[in-house]
Amino acid sequence: MPVPLAPYPTPPTTPYTPPPVNGTQSQLVCSGCRNLLLYPAGATSVCCAVCNAVTAVPPPGTEMAQLVCGGCHTLLMYIRGATSVQCSCCHTVNLALEANQVAHVNCGNCRMLLMYQYGARSVKCSVCNFVTSVGASTSTLEQKFNS
Ligand SMILES: [Zn+2]
Ligand SMILES: [Zn+2]
Ligand SMILES: [Zn+2]
């Protein structure tokens, strides 16, 4: 594991809890240092006080979702509906998976269109029982088994 260049800033623990105001303050995660930032409603970008990175504020009404990076386990925020999220820390591309989301792949043997659940590594064709591996590129990758 590479050592971070700067020590991770510890947010000050204050007993103060923000009042439950509706829509006047929002939160986002800094694109630079991953600190949670508070910003007033209407702002289009937030300058981080810790690392001075400017993070664009998603337009109001945008539904944000979160996932944990598979590479470095950083909490990532993304716009709901996006299919993949690239981590700004380790550049791992994480698939943004909704539950019950399905994908399609053509059977590697009979080209039948198969449906499978995201996360599956292989799909067994119900017609010819050929097992098609998914996950990498399914359009151009042709695996030949000479057995
Ligand atoms: Zn920052
Ligand atoms: Zn990461
Ligand atoms: Zn098939």
Side-chain angles (χ1 to χ4, degrees):
M1 283 293 289
V3 180
L5 293 176
Y8 193 81
T10 5
T13 44
T14 54
Y16 173 76
T17 41
V21 282
N22 191 21
T24 58
Q25 268 204 331
S26 301
Q27 298 180 338
L28 59 77
V29 176
C30 171
S31 61
C33 66
R34 319 309 298 177
N35 265 325
L36 195 65
L37 306 176
L38 284 170
Y39 65 94
T44 53
S45 62
V46 187
C47 185
C48 177
V50 178
C51 70
N52 288 323
V54 175
T55 306
V57 173
T62 305
E63 245 195 300
M64 299 300 289
Q66 297 180 334
L67 62 79
V68 175
C69 172
C72 64
H73 297 107
T74 297
L75 187 66
L76 305 177
M77 290 181 75
Y78 65 97
I79 297 171
R80 192 177 290 280
T83 53
S84 63
V85 187
Q86 186 176 29
C87 177
S88 60
C89 296
C90 67
H91 304 290
T92 297
V93 174
N94 298 275
L95 290 179
L97 306 179
E98 301 285 345
N100 302 320
Q101 203 169 6
V102 292
H104 297 89
V105 68
N106 285 100
C107 172
N109 187 42
C110 69
R111 313 312 294 175
M112 163 106 177
L113 188 65
L114 306 173
M115 283 174 63
Y116 66 96
Q117 190 152 9
Y118 269 126
R121 295 295 178 96
S122 60
V123 194
K124 189 177 183 182
C125 178
S126 56
V127 177
C128 67
N129 288 331
F130 182 85
V131 175
T132 306
S133 57
V134 292
S137 169
T138 51
S139 55
T140 53
L141 188 69
E142 298 260 335
Q143 289 193 346
K144 306 231 182 258
F145 298 101
N146 300 317
S147 56

